[in-house]
Amino acid sequence: MPATLSAPSRPAERSAGSDFAPLARRVRSSGLLDRRRGYYARAIGLNLAATAAVWAAVAWAGDGWWTVLLGIPLAVLSARAAFLGHDAGHRQIARTARANRWLGLLLGNLLLGMGHGWWNDKHNRHHANPNHVGKDPDVGEGVLAWTSEQAEGKRGVLRWVARHQAALFFPLLTLEGVNLKLGSLLFLRGRSRRDQVLEGGLLLVHAVAYLGLAFALLPVGQALALVAIQHAVFGVHLGAVFAPNHKGMAMPGPGERWGHLRRQVLTSRNVRGGLVTDWLMGGLNYQIEHHLFPGVPRCSLRRLRPLVREHCAAVGLPYAETGLVESYRLALGHMREVGEPLR
């Protein structure tokens, strides 16, 4: 494991749980928990306008094969919408839970075809127990292995994938856009009839409108290519944002109980950079701050960072932060290490 994963000193271990309260009081008094309705109104409005403009460009460009490359900006705008839906799930945008839920349904189910209920359920479990096998769905059993035990349990094709998973990670992300939609549909099987009708209905409207628009504006071949490019780039974009945040960081063992401060800081990694990095990663490169205070508007996380960094230094808790390239090296290095015994 990288040096940044080393456990804190014993005094910090004993006080990690209680040490969160002073930081929480300081953040509350700073005003960083205040909602930023103006920011979100602009962000949502601009994203919708830009999405409409790209579809208008598809119609204007006609049926040439170069038109399918407009799937790339569509994918980037879809990722922006996903970030906004993520914020609605954390109730960062509107004052009431009901309003945030409707924003999540409109941004997720209707605009993206990705279920808000499914994402919220999965993401909230991740936030409650990040990197904890058996509790965090992001490190659960699946195509990839996050622990040596998971790797050893793979059979057949999945064992081969685990053996080469570091090299296959980004190619596999091209399928993540479709996987997110499939997961949203499967999630509805166990939900109430009301949720099935509401969320399923919005997903259906999205599918009909999205595919109808693509096939109305382009011949079948180009329409399929546009859809494929958009979903592939969307999956890679989202995966590239979320992969560096926790992969290769501390993973609590069975039965370990960490306080909130230690649980969120030791399992998370920040990615430092300027405005370009912040924009590409949607501000979620400040992952430590986001996990400690998920209700802080995403646009305020950069201002929260100095407070958290100072507090971690005061209590002796390691604060992991790297550059973008290094973050991928660490994440992929962890995946390579897990798959190493199978080679």
Side-chain angles (χ1 to χ4, degrees):
M1 290 289 183
T4 53
L5 305 190
S6 58
S9 61
R10 285 294 173 187
E13 284 185 11
R14 289 195 297 270
S15 63
S18 60
D19 276 339
F20 179 66
L23 176 62
R25 287 194 294 269
R26 189 177 179 189
V27 171
R28 278 196 296 270
S29 65
S30 72
L32 291 173
L33 282 164
D34 295 347
R35 289 182 174 82
R36 300 282 298 277
R37 295 188 182 89
Y39 164 83
Y40 280 112
R42 290 191 300 273
I44 293 172
L46 287 172
N47 197 71
L48 291 174
T51 300
V54 175
W55 278 112
V58 172
W60 174 81
D63 58 5
W65 279 101
W66 287 106
T67 305
V68 305
L69 294 180
L70 289 170
I72 297 174
L74 283 174
V76 173
L77 291 167
S78 294
R80 304 295 109 185
F83 294 151
L84 292 166
H86 161 274
D87 296 354
H90 283 298
R91 302 182 182 180
Q92 296 175 12
I93 304 178
R95 183 174 59 84
T96 66
R98 180 183 177 88
N100 279 301
R101 180 170 183 256
W102 273 105
L103 280 171
L105 289 169
L106 295 174
L107 290 165
N109 294 59
L110 186 61
L111 186 60
L112 293 178
M114 191 172 81
H116 177 69
W118 168 76
W119 171 257
N120 245 21
D121 175 78
K122 177 177 180 290
H123 196 61
N124 286 342
R125 286 186 286 130
H126 159 69
H127 266 265
N129 293 283
N131 263 15
H132 198 142
V133 175
K135 296 181 179 181
D136 180 0
D138 287 357
V139 291
E141 293 284 353
V143 175
L144 302 175
W146 307 113
T147 67
S148 56
E149 292 78 14
Q150 289 178 354
E152 288 292 342
K154 302 291 186 184
R155 295 293 180 267
V157 174
L158 291 182
R159 189 174 181 87
W160 180 86
V161 171
R163 187 183 307 146
H164 304 284
Q165 60 182 8
L168 293 172
F169 180 66
F170 282 103
L172 285 172
L173 284 180
T174 60
L175 303 174
E176 184 63 11
V178 175
N179 182 54
L180 293 172
K181 292 188 174 183
L182 181 60
S184 301
L185 289 172
L186 294 176
F187 177 78
L188 290 177
R189 292 184 303 178
R191 310 304 293 175
S192 67
R193 178 56 60 89
R194 180 179 179 180
D195 285 345
Q196 289 176 347
V197 171
L198 176 58
E199 293 216 32
L202 289 173
L203 291 175
L204 179 61
V205 171
H206 164 82
V208 171
Y210 173 68
L211 294 175
L213 188 58
F215 285 101
L217 296 177
L218 296 171
V220 173
Q222 284 94 322
L224 290 173
L226 177 76
V227 170
I229 288 174
Q230 180 180 357
H231 282 76
V233 175
F234 174 65
V236 171
H237 188 359
L238 283 189
V241 168
F242 288 103
N245 296 333
H246 302 282
K247 308 313 178 197
M249 294 303 296
M251 300 183 75
E256 285 191 85
R257 298 174 63 86
W258 295 354
H260 181 70
L261 183 69
R262 186 176 184 225
R263 181 170 63 248
Q264 304 299 346
V265 172
L266 293 183
T267 60
S268 303
R269 177 191 297 114
N270 275 15
V271 178
R272 61 173 169 263
L275 294 177
V276 173
T277 301
D278 288 2
W279 185 84
L280 285 173
M281 302 193 75
L284 293 175
N285 46 314
Y286 302 104
Q287 191 69 190
I288 295 173
E289 288 72 24
H290 172 56
H291 262 256
L292 284 172
F293 298 95
V296 167
R298 187 163 39 89
C299 54
S300 298
L301 292 175
R302 185 182 182 92
R303 293 163 54 208
L304 176 58
R305 173 181 170 273
L307 302 184
V308 173
R309 190 180 176 96
E310 178 185 325
H311 185 77
C312 287
V315 301
L317 202 60
Y319 181 97
E321 185 173 70
T322 69
L324 184 61
V325 174
E326 177 68 4
S327 71
Y328 290 127
R329 189 189 69 79
L330 292 171
L332 294 175
H334 170 71
M335 297 176 69
R336 189 177 297 109
E337 180 182 334
V338 168
E340 182 66 34
L342 304 183
R343 286 194 288 275

mmCIF file of all heavy atoms in Angstrom, residues 212-254:
data_model
loop_
_atom_site.group_PDB
_atom_site.id
_atom_site.type_symbol
_atom_site.label_atom_id
_atom_site.label_comp_id
_atom_site.label_asym_id
_atom_site.label_seq_id
_atom_site.Cartn_x
_atom_site.Cartn_y
_atom_site.Cartn_z
ATOM 1 N N GLY A 212 -35.647 8.579 -30.151
ATOM 2 C CA GLY A 212 -36.462 9.182 -31.212
ATOM 3 C C GLY A 212 -35.765 10.360 -31.853
ATOM 4 O O GLY A 212 -35.774 10.516 -33.079
ATOM 5 N N LEU A 213 -35.129 11.200 -31.034
ATOM 6 C CA LEU A 213 -34.414 12.358 -31.554
ATOM 7 C C LEU A 213 -33.214 11.922 -32.393
ATOM 8 O O LEU A 213 -32.987 12.442 -33.498
ATOM 9 C CB LEU A 213 -33.945 13.232 -30.383
ATOM 10 C CG LEU A 213 -33.326 14.597 -30.716
ATOM 11 C CD1 LEU A 213 -34.305 15.458 -31.502
ATOM 12 C CD2 LEU A 213 -32.908 15.303 -29.421
ATOM 13 N N ALA A 214 -32.442 10.965 -31.876
ATOM 14 C CA ALA A 214 -31.255 10.505 -32.595
ATOM 15 C C ALA A 214 -31.617 9.918 -33.957
ATOM 16 O O ALA A 214 -31.003 10.248 -34.980
ATOM 17 C CB ALA A 214 -30.495 9.475 -31.761
ATOM 18 N N PHE A 215 -32.641 9.056 -33.989
ATOM 19 C CA PHE A 215 -32.998 8.387 -35.241
ATOM 20 C C PHE A 215 -33.799 9.298 -36.174
ATOM 21 O O PHE A 215 -33.861 9.045 -37.375
ATOM 22 C CB PHE A 215 -33.765 7.098 -34.948
ATOM 23 C CG PHE A 215 -32.875 5.994 -34.438
ATOM 24 C CD1 PHE A 215 -32.817 5.702 -33.082
ATOM 25 C CD2 PHE A 215 -32.081 5.268 -35.306
ATOM 26 C CE1 PHE A 215 -31.995 4.704 -32.605
ATOM 27 C CE2 PHE A 215 -31.256 4.261 -34.849
ATOM 28 C CZ PHE A 215 -31.203 3.974 -33.487
ATOM 29 N N ALA A 216 -34.415 10.349 -35.615
ATOM 30 C CA ALA A 216 -35.116 11.304 -36.476
ATOM 31 C C ALA A 216 -34.135 12.222 -37.194
ATOM 32 O O ALA A 216 -34.384 12.656 -38.328
ATOM 33 C CB ALA A 216 -36.096 12.127 -35.648
ATOM 34 N N LEU A 217 -33.011 12.526 -36.537
ATOM 35 C CA LEU A 217 -32.055 13.473 -37.107
ATOM 36 C C LEU A 217 -30.992 12.810 -37.975
ATOM 37 O O LEU A 217 -30.402 13.455 -38.837
ATOM 38 C CB LEU A 217 -31.361 14.252 -35.984
ATOM 39 C CG LEU A 217 -32.252 15.157 -35.115
ATOM 40 C CD1 LEU A 217 -31.431 15.784 -34.011
ATOM 41 C CD2 LEU A 217 -32.915 16.233 -35.973
ATOM 42 N N LEU A 218 -30.732 11.506 -37.741
ATOM 43 C CA LEU A 218 -29.639 10.835 -38.430
ATOM 44 C C LEU A 218 -30.089 9.496 -39.006
ATOM 45 O O LEU A 218 -31.027 8.878 -38.486
ATOM 46 C CB LEU A 218 -28.479 10.587 -37.451
ATOM 47 C CG LEU A 218 -27.783 11.815 -36.853
ATOM 48 C CD1 LEU A 218 -26.824 11.389 -35.747
ATOM 49 C CD2 LEU A 218 -27.052 12.600 -37.929
ATOM 50 N N PRO A 219 -29.416 9.019 -40.053
ATOM 51 C CA PRO A 219 -29.656 7.661 -40.541
ATOM 52 C C PRO A 219 -29.312 6.650 -39.447
ATOM 53 O O PRO A 219 -28.584 6.965 -38.492
ATOM 54 C CB PRO A 219 -28.703 7.530 -41.732
ATOM 55 C CG PRO A 219 -28.400 8.928 -42.134
ATOM 56 C CD PRO A 219 -28.435 9.747 -40.876
ATOM 57 N N VAL A 220 -29.790 5.447 -39.584
ATOM 58 C CA VAL A 220 -29.649 4.434 -38.533
ATOM 59 C C VAL A 220 -28.189 4.241 -38.119
ATOM 60 O O VAL A 220 -27.866 4.226 -36.923
ATOM 61 C CB VAL A 220 -30.259 3.091 -38.995
ATOM 62 C CG1 VAL A 220 -29.956 2.003 -37.974
ATOM 63 C CG2 VAL A 220 -31.760 3.233 -39.182
ATOM 64 N N GLY A 221 -27.284 4.097 -39.076
ATOM 65 C CA GLY A 221 -25.880 3.857 -38.751
ATOM 66 C C GLY A 221 -25.265 4.963 -37.936
ATOM 67 O O GLY A 221 -24.606 4.727 -36.907
ATOM 68 N N GLN A 222 -25.468 6.208 -38.394
ATOM 69 C CA GLN A 222 -24.916 7.349 -37.667
ATOM 70 C C GLN A 222 -25.573 7.542 -36.312
ATOM 71 O O GLN A 222 -24.923 7.921 -35.345
ATOM 72 C CB GLN A 222 -25.051 8.625 -38.497
ATOM 73 C CG GLN A 222 -24.050 8.721 -39.636
ATOM 74 C CD GLN A 222 -24.637 8.195 -40.936
ATOM 75 O OE1 GLN A 222 -25.383 7.216 -40.938
ATOM 76 N NE2 GLN A 222 -24.307 8.849 -42.048
ATOM 77 N N ALA A 223 -26.888 7.283 -36.256
ATOM 78 C CA ALA A 223 -27.587 7.424 -34.973
ATOM 79 C C ALA A 223 -27.023 6.439 -33.950
ATOM 80 O O ALA A 223 -26.765 6.794 -32.793
ATOM 81 C CB ALA A 223 -29.082 7.196 -35.165
ATOM 82 N N LEU A 224 -26.813 5.194 -34.377
ATOM 83 C CA LEU A 224 -26.249 4.188 -33.468
ATOM 84 C C LEU A 224 -24.839 4.580 -33.043
ATOM 85 O O LEU A 224 -24.454 4.402 -31.883
ATOM 86 C CB LEU A 224 -26.240 2.816 -34.148
ATOM 87 C CG LEU A 224 -27.611 2.167 -34.356
ATOM 88 C CD1 LEU A 224 -27.474 0.891 -35.188
ATOM 89 C CD2 LEU A 224 -28.261 1.851 -33.003
ATOM 90 N N ALA A 225 -24.054 5.117 -33.981
ATOM 91 C CA ALA A 225 -22.689 5.531 -33.658
ATOM 92 C C ALA A 225 -22.689 6.688 -32.665
ATOM 93 O O ALA A 225 -21.887 6.720 -31.721
ATOM 94 C CB ALA A 225 -21.951 5.923 -34.932
ATOM 95 N N LEU A 226 -23.587 7.659 -32.856
ATOM 96 C CA LEU A 226 -23.688 8.787 -31.938
ATOM 97 C C LEU A 226 -24.030 8.311 -30.532
ATOM 98 O O LEU A 226 -23.412 8.731 -29.549
ATOM 99 C CB LEU A 226 -24.749 9.769 -32.426
ATOM 100 C CG LEU A 226 -25.009 10.983 -31.517
ATOM 101 C CD1 LEU A 226 -23.886 11.990 -31.651
ATOM 102 C CD2 LEU A 226 -26.342 11.642 -31.856
ATOM 103 N N VAL A 227 -25.025 7.421 -30.444
ATOM 104 C CA VAL A 227 -25.441 6.882 -29.144
ATOM 105 C C VAL A 227 -24.283 6.138 -28.489
ATOM 106 O O VAL A 227 -24.020 6.285 -27.287
ATOM 107 C CB VAL A 227 -26.662 5.955 -29.314
ATOM 108 C CG1 VAL A 227 -26.946 5.193 -28.026
ATOM 109 C CG2 VAL A 227 -27.894 6.773 -29.726
ATOM 110 N N ALA A 228 -23.569 5.323 -29.270
ATOM 111 C CA ALA A 228 -22.460 4.545 -28.723
ATOM 112 C C ALA A 228 -21.340 5.453 -28.230
ATOM 113 O O ALA A 228 -20.792 5.246 -27.135
ATOM 114 C CB ALA A 228 -21.927 3.581 -29.782
ATOM 115 N N ILE A 229 -20.993 6.466 -29.011
ATOM 116 C CA ILE A 229 -19.916 7.383 -28.617
ATOM 117 C C ILE A 229 -20.304 8.145 -27.360
ATOM 118 O O ILE A 229 -19.500 8.287 -26.429
ATOM 119 C CB ILE A 229 -19.588 8.345 -29.774
ATOM 120 C CG1 ILE A 229 -18.867 7.595 -30.890
ATOM 121 C CG2 ILE A 229 -18.738 9.520 -29.282
ATOM 122 C CD1 ILE A 229 -18.627 8.421 -32.135
ATOM 123 N N GLN A 230 -21.532 8.641 -27.320
ATOM 124 C CA GLN A 230 -21.949 9.396 -26.142
ATOM 125 C C GLN A 230 -21.877 8.539 -24.879
ATOM 126 O O GLN A 230 -21.341 8.966 -23.853
ATOM 127 C CB GLN A 230 -23.372 9.937 -26.307
ATOM 128 C CG GLN A 230 -23.814 10.734 -25.071
ATOM 129 C CD GLN A 230 -25.222 11.293 -25.183
ATOM 130 O OE1 GLN A 230 -25.878 11.144 -26.208
ATOM 131 N NE2 GLN A 230 -25.690 11.930 -24.123
ATOM 132 N N HIS A 231 -22.401 7.323 -24.931
ATOM 133 C CA HIS A 231 -22.403 6.467 -23.745
ATOM 134 C C HIS A 231 -20.992 6.039 -23.354
ATOM 135 O O HIS A 231 -20.672 5.947 -22.155
ATOM 136 C CB HIS A 231 -23.298 5.252 -23.976
ATOM 137 C CG HIS A 231 -24.747 5.550 -23.836
ATOM 138 N ND1 HIS A 231 -25.474 6.221 -24.796
ATOM 139 C CD2 HIS A 231 -25.628 5.298 -22.820
ATOM 140 C CE1 HIS A 231 -26.731 6.351 -24.399
ATOM 141 N NE2 HIS A 231 -26.844 5.816 -23.205
ATOM 142 N N ALA A 232 -20.136 5.766 -24.345
ATOM 143 C CA ALA A 232 -18.766 5.351 -24.039
ATOM 144 C C ALA A 232 -17.987 6.476 -23.369
ATOM 145 O O ALA A 232 -17.331 6.275 -22.331
ATOM 146 C CB ALA A 232 -18.067 4.900 -25.314
ATOM 147 N N VAL A 233 -18.049 7.688 -23.936
ATOM 148 C CA VAL A 233 -17.313 8.818 -23.367
ATOM 149 C C VAL A 233 -17.898 9.200 -22.006
ATOM 150 O O VAL A 233 -17.154 9.537 -21.072
ATOM 151 C CB VAL A 233 -17.338 10.018 -24.332
ATOM 152 C CG1 VAL A 233 -16.671 11.244 -23.695
ATOM 153 C CG2 VAL A 233 -16.630 9.666 -25.638
ATOM 154 N N PHE A 234 -19.205 9.126 -21.869
ATOM 155 C CA PHE A 234 -19.866 9.422 -20.593
ATOM 156 C C PHE A 234 -19.361 8.472 -19.501
ATOM 157 O O PHE A 234 -19.019 8.895 -18.394
ATOM 158 C CB PHE A 234 -21.376 9.289 -20.760
ATOM 159 C CG PHE A 234 -22.166 9.434 -19.486
ATOM 160 C CD1 PHE A 234 -22.192 10.625 -18.793
ATOM 161 C CD2 PHE A 234 -22.905 8.368 -18.988
ATOM 162 C CE1 PHE A 234 -22.928 10.766 -17.618
ATOM 163 C CE2 PHE A 234 -23.648 8.491 -17.822
ATOM 164 C CZ PHE A 234 -23.656 9.694 -17.136
ATOM 165 N N GLY A 235 -19.279 7.175 -19.821
ATOM 166 C CA GLY A 235 -18.801 6.202 -18.843
ATOM 167 C C GLY A 235 -17.367 6.440 -18.441
ATOM 168 O O GLY A 235 -17.012 6.388 -17.250
ATOM 169 N N VAL A 236 -16.512 6.721 -19.423
ATOM 170 C CA VAL A 236 -15.107 6.984 -19.128
ATOM 171 C C VAL A 236 -14.964 8.267 -18.304
ATOM 172 O O VAL A 236 -14.171 8.327 -17.347
ATOM 173 C CB VAL A 236 -14.287 7.085 -20.433
ATOM 174 C CG1 VAL A 236 -12.872 7.569 -20.141
ATOM 175 C CG2 VAL A 236 -14.250 5.732 -21.140
ATOM 176 N N HIS A 237 -15.743 9.284 -18.665
ATOM 177 C CA HIS A 237 -15.670 10.559 -17.944
ATOM 178 C C HIS A 237 -16.044 10.375 -16.476
ATOM 179 O O HIS A 237 -15.292 10.787 -15.571
ATOM 180 C CB HIS A 237 -16.605 11.563 -18.617
ATOM 181 C CG HIS A 237 -16.485 12.965 -18.097
ATOM 182 N ND1 HIS A 237 -15.623 13.328 -17.082
ATOM 183 C CD2 HIS A 237 -17.127 14.117 -18.454
ATOM 184 C CE1 HIS A 237 -15.741 14.620 -16.842
ATOM 185 N NE2 HIS A 237 -16.654 15.113 -17.650
ATOM 186 N N LEU A 238 -17.175 9.732 -16.209
ATOM 187 C CA LEU A 238 -17.596 9.528 -14.819
ATOM 188 C C LEU A 238 -16.598 8.649 -14.071
ATOM 189 O O LEU A 238 -16.250 8.922 -12.917
ATOM 190 C CB LEU A 238 -18.986 8.908 -14.765
ATOM 191 C CG LEU A 238 -20.181 9.824 -15.021
ATOM 192 C CD1 LEU A 238 -21.476 9.092 -14.699
ATOM 193 C CD2 LEU A 238 -20.104 11.109 -14.208
ATOM 194 N N GLY A 239 -16.171 7.563 -14.719
ATOM 195 C CA GLY A 239 -15.216 6.673 -14.069
ATOM 196 C C GLY A 239 -13.910 7.362 -13.748
ATOM 197 O O GLY A 239 -13.297 7.136 -12.695
ATOM 198 N N ALA A 240 -13.466 8.235 -14.651
ATOM 199 C CA ALA A 240 -12.224 8.964 -14.445
ATOM 200 C C ALA A 240 -12.344 9.968 -13.295
ATOM 201 O O ALA A 240 -11.344 10.335 -12.673
ATOM 202 C CB ALA A 240 -11.826 9.699 -15.722
ATOM 203 N N VAL A 241 -13.555 10.398 -13.006
ATOM 204 C CA VAL A 241 -13.791 11.318 -11.889
ATOM 205 C C VAL A 241 -13.811 10.570 -10.563
ATOM 206 O O VAL A 241 -13.210 11.000 -9.572
ATOM 207 C CB VAL A 241 -15.112 12.087 -12.085
ATOM 208 C CG1 VAL A 241 -15.512 12.829 -10.808
ATOM 209 C CG2 VAL A 241 -14.981 13.071 -13.241
ATOM 210 N N PHE A 242 -14.488 9.424 -10.521
ATOM 211 C CA PHE A 242 -14.701 8.739 -9.250
ATOM 212 C C PHE A 242 -13.591 7.747 -8.890
ATOM 213 O O PHE A 242 -13.373 7.480 -7.704
ATOM 214 C CB PHE A 242 -16.057 8.024 -9.255
ATOM 215 C CG PHE A 242 -17.216 8.968 -9.171
ATOM 216 C CD1 PHE A 242 -17.977 9.271 -10.296
ATOM 217 C CD2 PHE A 242 -17.545 9.580 -7.979
ATOM 218 C CE1 PHE A 242 -19.050 10.159 -10.222
ATOM 219 C CE2 PHE A 242 -18.604 10.471 -7.884
ATOM 220 C CZ PHE A 242 -19.365 10.759 -9.012
ATOM 221 N N ALA A 243 -12.881 7.205 -9.871
ATOM 222 C CA ALA A 243 -11.865 6.187 -9.577
ATOM 223 C C ALA A 243 -10.745 6.672 -8.658
ATOM 224 O O ALA A 243 -10.326 5.937 -7.757
ATOM 225 C CB ALA A 243 -11.287 5.641 -10.884
ATOM 226 N N PRO A 244 -10.197 7.887 -8.858
ATOM 227 C CA PRO A 244 -9.058 8.298 -8.017
ATOM 228 C C PRO A 244 -9.425 8.583 -6.575
ATOM 229 O O PRO A 244 -8.538 8.714 -5.721
ATOM 230 C CB PRO A 244 -8.559 9.586 -8.692
ATOM 231 C CG PRO A 244 -9.224 9.649 -10.012
ATOM 232 C CD PRO A 244 -10.506 8.911 -9.866
ATOM 233 N N ASN A 245 -10.709 8.701 -6.272
ATOM 234 C CA ASN A 245 -11.130 9.204 -4.968
ATOM 235 C C ASN A 245 -10.929 8.234 -3.818
ATOM 236 O O ASN A 245 -10.702 8.640 -2.679
ATOM 237 C CB ASN A 245 -12.603 9.618 -5.020
ATOM 238 C CG ASN A 245 -12.841 10.770 -5.973
ATOM 239 O OD1 ASN A 245 -11.942 11.567 -6.214
ATOM 240 N ND2 ASN A 245 -14.039 10.862 -6.524
ATOM 241 N N HIS A 246 -11.044 6.924 -4.082
ATOM 242 C CA HIS A 246 -10.978 5.934 -3.000
ATOM 243 C C HIS A 246 -10.119 4.719 -3.320
ATOM 244 O O HIS A 246 -9.670 4.040 -2.397
ATOM 245 C CB HIS A 246 -12.390 5.456 -2.646
ATOM 246 C CG HIS A 246 -13.317 6.547 -2.226
ATOM 247 N ND1 HIS A 246 -13.293 7.123 -0.972
ATOM 248 C CD2 HIS A 246 -14.290 7.198 -2.916
ATOM 249 C CE1 HIS A 246 -14.211 8.076 -0.904
ATOM 250 N NE2 HIS A 246 -14.822 8.140 -2.067
ATOM 251 N N LYS A 247 -9.924 4.411 -4.600
ATOM 252 C CA LYS A 247 -9.185 3.202 -4.949
ATOM 253 C C LYS A 247 -7.734 3.316 -4.490
ATOM 254 O O LYS A 247 -7.047 4.284 -4.788
ATOM 255 C CB LYS A 247 -9.230 2.950 -6.460
ATOM 256 C CG LYS A 247 -10.634 2.948 -7.058
ATOM 257 C CD LYS A 247 -11.629 2.122 -6.269
ATOM 258 C CE LYS A 247 -13.015 2.192 -6.895
ATOM 259 N NZ LYS A 247 -14.079 1.749 -5.983
ATOM 260 N N GLY A 248 -7.290 2.319 -3.764
ATOM 261 C CA GLY A 248 -5.940 2.340 -3.230
ATOM 262 C C GLY A 248 -5.819 3.015 -1.880
ATOM 263 O O GLY A 248 -4.724 3.095 -1.322
ATOM 264 N N MET A 249 -6.933 3.483 -1.331
ATOM 265 C CA MET A 249 -6.919 4.081 -0.001
ATOM 266 C C MET A 249 -7.260 3.017 1.038
ATOM 267 O O MET A 249 -7.562 1.875 0.713
ATOM 268 C CB MET A 249 -7.900 5.255 0.059
ATOM 269 C CG MET A 249 -7.503 6.435 -0.824
ATOM 270 S SD MET A 249 -5.855 7.079 -0.456
ATOM 271 C CE MET A 249 -6.053 7.673 1.219
ATOM 272 N N ALA A 250 -7.207 3.402 2.309
ATOM 273 C CA ALA A 250 -7.422 2.458 3.405
ATOM 274 C C ALA A 250 -8.775 1.763 3.276
ATOM 275 O O ALA A 250 -9.762 2.369 2.859
ATOM 276 C CB ALA A 250 -7.334 3.184 4.743
ATOM 277 N N MET A 251 -8.802 0.478 3.644
ATOM 278 C CA MET A 251 -10.039 -0.303 3.619
ATOM 279 C C MET A 251 -10.236 -0.899 5.013
ATOM 280 O O MET A 251 -9.444 -1.753 5.443
ATOM 281 C CB MET A 251 -9.963 -1.401 2.561
ATOM 282 C CG MET A 251 -9.746 -0.871 1.156
ATOM 283 S SD MET A 251 -9.735 -2.149 -0.130
ATOM 284 C CE MET A 251 -11.519 -2.506 -0.228
ATOM 285 N N PRO A 252 -11.259 -0.451 5.751
ATOM 286 C CA PRO A 252 -11.479 -0.984 7.102
ATOM 287 C C PRO A 252 -11.665 -2.491 7.076
ATOM 288 O O PRO A 252 -12.312 -3.042 6.180
ATOM 289 C CB PRO A 252 -12.772 -0.281 7.559
ATOM 290 C CG PRO A 252 -12.874 0.934 6.677
ATOM 291 C CD PRO A 252 -12.271 0.544 5.370
ATOM 292 N N GLY A 253 -11.087 -3.161 8.048
ATOM 293 C CA GLY A 253 -11.231 -4.608 8.138
ATOM 294 C C GLY A 253 -12.559 -5.000 8.752
ATOM 295 O O GLY A 253 -13.297 -4.158 9.287
ATOM 296 N N PRO A 254 -12.907 -6.293 8.691
ATOM 297 C CA PRO A 254 -14.172 -6.774 9.273
ATOM 298 C C PRO A 254 -14.238 -6.446 10.761
ATOM 299 O O PRO A 254 -13.299 -6.681 11.517
ATOM 300 C CB PRO A 254 -14.102 -8.287 9.050
ATOM 301 C CG PRO A 254 -13.144 -8.464 7.912
ATOM 302 C CD PRO A 254 -12.131 -7.364 8.061
#
